[in-house]
Amino acid sequence: MSSSSPSTANGNDSKTYKGDRSPCDPSRVLHVRRVPIEVSEAEVISLGIPFGKVTNLLMLKGKNQAFIEMASEEAAITMVNYYTAATPHVRNQPVYIQYSNHRELKTDNLPNQGRAQAALHAVNAVHSGNMTLSGSATASDGGLMPGQSPVLRIIVENLYYPVSLEVLHQIFSKFGTVLKIITFTKNNQFQALLQYSDAMNAHHAKMALDGQNIYNGCCTLRVEFSKLTSLNVKYNNDKSRDFTRLDLPSGDGQPTLDPTMQTAFGAPGIISSPYPGAGFAPAIGFPQAGLSMQTMPGALGPLTIPSSAMTGRMAIHGMAPTAIHSVLLVSNLNPDSISPHGLFILFGVYGDVHRVKILFNKKENALIQMADATQAQLAMSHLNGQRLYGKVIRVTVSKHQTVQLPREGQEDQGLTKDFSGSPLHRFKKPGSKNFQNIFPPSATLHLSNIPPSTTDDFLKDLFASSGYTVKAFKFFQKDRKMALIQLGSVEEAIQALIDLHNHDLGENHHLRVSFSKSTI
């Protein structure tokens, strides 16, 4: 082979080492730059596998470069288009892919090509279904068990702030090429299925991210391997995305999972955002695709949030757009029983309440100003439709941006209260454990800050003498400062929380009451 030929590349071609930095016409040979030196052949090949068969590979580890030859020019074009929009990461490092000015790779007579050919054979065999990914293709990176899937199942616990498909893509792309994501809600938990181009990427992501918080003190990732080996995505929208198929329809209103996956992961109709009204605009989650991006700090590093994610009813903590209000309108209240303090205590379970106004001429309605729009959304999603003092309350977002305090001398009957400086706010401290203990109203209440001398009979009598039916009670075995108490109904528990949160138990202890996810 002549080294002066522009149509081929090999280890002796000086142009190969310099890298094809000038724009080139499409070619099935692709030039990969800034490849970390510890990266294996299989990992480089896995960059191309989602787009078609990889027919050859040339690694130039000393130059931190590689050349990938695809089976067809069409596959190479699809691959470059995709990676131009979404920079791929290998071993947590970005790599850059462009067309080579070579038309094919000639590597037959080159030394050290045995590993590359073995890796090509192994990885192509995996993706044609002939074997599991193991052996020589992954021997350089221990820990991957034979048969492990490139698909991860992700559960987000302590979902205090919304987690969108774009946020998951940004986090998990640091460990490899993310091909597809499907999000859904099952058992009242926000979950996702995420497919990498390679099982090794999934392994790295699982090892690094399982148990990590996306944001400080909340949104905890639980990551495990899925039994599925690939995902079938039909629509590109806010709930599902195939990043290799930008031509898919948005499928508004259609279920995201196909029937076989619905059987495994939930019935039709459960595929939804974690909160009502929390829609994100359908869009491909990359800046080059026309999204403006905003960056915020997170426990896993800075997160870039597409502005489309800010147009729903929610916003990431500290990023609430001014157009989204933090004031809620609560209607169908029982005017004979409710008070500003009672609403402050109840809504304070889901965020810090700054002001409450019961309307002077319509006392079954109230305005509640939360600390931010995210907390308002959280309170609305948990309390709308609950029974309070015999009436089913309705909670919606108000058109008002703030709750006005009465002017001096204006008759108010004590219906407007400012709680912005209250010591009873649960979420003042960033990263507070209270972020992790936000649950829907339930008949079982969690009690804490109990003095050591307090008995179970004393606490049961406290609730019973206040008019509540005590069905069960137990102290925590390891910590008698905490206990669970089960009342006769969810409505009773809501009213008991309002009545007895911050109740003085003596010994300088005030009872703390919240809803529990557990039962006795």
Side-chain angles (χ1 to χ4, degrees), residues 108-341:
D108 296 345
N109 299 320
L110 293 179
N112 302 320
Q113 273 299 105
R115 284 175 58 88
Q117 293 305 311
L120 274 169
H121 174 75
V123 175
N124 281 321
V126 169
H127 288 272
S128 62
N130 293 333
M131 58 178 282
T132 57
L133 183 56
S134 59
S136 62
T138 60
S140 62
D141 194 316
L144 185 66
M145 298 297 292
Q148 281 182 344
S149 169
V151 179
L152 295 175
R153 183 184 181 199
I154 302 156
I155 298 173
V156 185
E157 298 178 345
N158 309 321
L159 191 70
Y160 186 68
Y161 297 115
V163 175
S164 68
L165 185 150
E166 281 89 354
V167 168
L168 290 177
H169 182 268
Q170 186 180 349
I171 293 168
F172 282 81
S173 288
K174 294 178 180 178
F175 299 90
T177 303
V178 175
L179 303 184
K180 304 170 186 178
I181 303 177
I182 296 172
T183 65
F184 55 97
T185 301
K186 183 182 179 187
N187 299 331
N188 290 322
Q189 286 184 310
F190 178 65
Q191 303 190 24
L193 295 169
L194 182 146
Q195 181 180 344
Y196 278 107
S197 61
D198 186 78
M200 182 59 74
N201 302 141
H203 172 73
H204 288 150
K206 179 183 182 300
M207 297 300 291
L209 295 177
D210 186 33
Q212 295 292 320
N213 292 334
I214 299 176
Y215 305 117
N216 290 331
C218 63
C219 298
T220 306
L221 292 169
R222 300 297 176 200
V223 185
E224 60 190 43
F225 287 105
S226 170
K227 294 179 182 178
L228 299 170
T229 55
S230 65
L231 301 179
N232 180 20
V233 175
K234 294 183 177 181
Y235 306 106
N236 281 340
N237 53 35
D238 60 321
K239 301 178 184 68
S240 65
R241 199 75 51 81
D242 184 336
F243 295 98
T244 68
R245 293 280 310 280
L246 305 189
D247 58 319
L248 290 179
S250 64
D252 292 336
Q254 297 295 319
T256 304
L257 299 180
D258 65 24
T260 56
M261 292 175 67
Q262 283 174 358
T263 302
F265 290 97
I270 65 160
I271 314 304
S272 62
S273 296
Y275 301 116
F280 298 110
I284 299 299
F286 306 120
Q288 292 88 340
L291 285 178
S292 61
M293 310 292 275
Q294 303 183 36
T295 301
M296 64 162 290
L300 291 173
L303 294 178
T304 306
I305 308 302
S307 59
S308 65
M310 314 300 282
T311 59
R313 289 237 186 107
M314 296 180 297
I316 301 297
H317 180 49
M319 301 285 288
T322 55
I324 299 175
H325 304 153
S326 57
V327 178
L328 297 172
L329 171 64
V330 187
S331 55
N332 204 39
L333 292 164
N334 184 334
D336 298 326
S337 303
I338 201 61
S339 68
H341 177 78

Side-chain angles (χ1 to χ4, degrees), residues 271-495:
I271 314 304
S272 62
S273 296
Y275 301 116
F280 298 110
I284 299 299
F286 306 120
Q288 292 88 340
L291 285 178
S292 61
M293 310 292 275
Q294 303 183 36
T295 301
M296 64 162 290
L300 291 173
L303 294 178
T304 306
I305 308 302
S307 59
S308 65
M310 314 300 282
T311 59
R313 289 237 186 107
M314 296 180 297
I316 301 297
H317 180 49
M319 301 285 288
T322 55
I324 299 175
H325 304 153
S326 57
V327 178
L328 297 172
L329 171 64
V330 187
S331 55
N332 204 39
L333 292 164
N334 184 334
D336 298 326
S337 303
I338 201 61
S339 68
H341 177 78
L343 291 172
F344 163 70
I345 294 296
L346 176 59
F347 280 74
V349 172
Y350 300 106
D352 290 337
V353 177
H354 284 192
R355 292 178 181 177
V356 177
K357 177 190 285 287
I358 295 175
L359 302 190
F360 186 79
N361 294 322
K362 294 183 72 176
K363 292 187 173 64
E364 67 273 14
N365 294 338
L367 295 173
I368 300 178
Q369 182 176 336
M370 307 295 290
D372 61 37
T374 304
Q375 295 182 6
Q377 171 68 39
L378 201 60
M380 181 174 70
S381 66
H382 282 98
L383 294 176
N384 181 43
Q386 296 290 343
R387 291 185 68 87
L388 178 60
Y389 299 118
K391 305 194 76 169
V392 176
I393 65 171
R394 297 292 170 217
V395 185
T396 58
V397 175
S398 170
K399 63 182 179 181
H400 297 283
Q401 297 188 36
T402 59
V403 170
Q404 296 293 326
L405 296 175
R407 294 187 299 274
E408 192 173 341
Q410 182 181 359
E411 185 183 3
D412 180 66
Q413 298 179 351
L415 297 176
T416 305
K417 295 287 185 183
D418 188 327
F419 296 99
S420 56
S422 172
L424 297 184
H425 285 163
R426 297 177 187 243
F427 305 103
K428 281 189 296 189
K429 293 180 181 177
S432 164
K433 284 186 177 180
N434 293 329
F435 285 115
Q436 302 176 31
N437 294 304
I438 297 173
F439 304 109
S442 64
T444 303
L445 295 173
H446 180 276
L447 311 179
S448 60
N449 202 36
I450 301 169
S453 61
T454 301
T455 64
D456 53 353
D457 286 339
F458 176 87
L459 289 169
K460 286 191 285 188
D461 289 345
L462 173 65
F463 280 80
S465 63
S466 301
Y468 303 110
T469 305
V470 177
K471 287 197 164 186
F473 179 93
K474 73 170 184 180
F475 276 111
F476 280 55
Q477 285 187 340
K478 295 183 178 179
D479 188 354
R480 284 181 61 89
K481 295 177 186 175
M482 296 189 290
L484 296 178
I485 188 166
Q486 185 178 338
L487 303 183
S489 67
V490 174
E491 183 180 5
E492 273 197 41
I494 291 174
Q495 292 169 201

